[in-house]
Amino acid sequence: MAFEDAQRFVAKMKEDLDFRAQVQSFADSAPMQACLENNGYSFDLRELVHAMAGCMEELDQMMHKMSES
């Protein structure tokens, strides 16, 4: 479940600019983590990195398709 939370978080960061700005506004990690948990996201750093790597892979595939056109 935690990896799925990380995937949802990465997707939300891509799609929701207001949410992204809110997350980026935190100066410390503890309040940011509390905010994320309050919004239903519970994951650790490893799970977040794994989800971000998946996002980067999607971006690479999209860029590759665009370069073929």
Side-chain angles (χ1 to χ4, degrees), residues 7 9 11 17 21 24 30 32 37 42 45 54 56 58 68-69:
Q7 288 179 308
F9 171 73
L17 298 179
Q24 290 175 323
M32 180 176 62
E37 288 176 5
S42 178
L45 182 58
M56 295 306 298
E58 288 175 17
E68 290 177 339
S69 298

Side-chain angles (χ1 to χ4, degrees), residues 8-68:
R8 284 188 314 104
F9 171 73
V10 170
K12 179 94 168 168
M13 291 286 284
K14 286 190 318 187
E15 298 165 1
D16 187 335
L17 298 179
D18 291 333
F19 179 74
R20 185 186 320 167
Q22 177 188 10
V23 170
Q24 290 175 323
S25 72
F26 290 101
D28 297 312
S29 60
M32 180 176 62
Q33 186 68 30
C35 175
L36 294 177
E37 288 176 5
N38 287 339
N39 282 286
Y41 300 104
S42 178
F43 50 84
D44 63 23
L45 182 58
R46 183 193 63 77
E47 292 154 342
L48 176 58
V49 169
H50 190 202
M52 291 173 62
C55 177
M56 295 306 298
E57 186 175 321
E58 288 175 17
L59 179 60
D60 287 345
Q61 290 173 2
M62 182 178 69
M63 296 300 290
H64 180 72
K65 287 179 183 176
M66 289 177 64
S67 69
E68 290 177 339

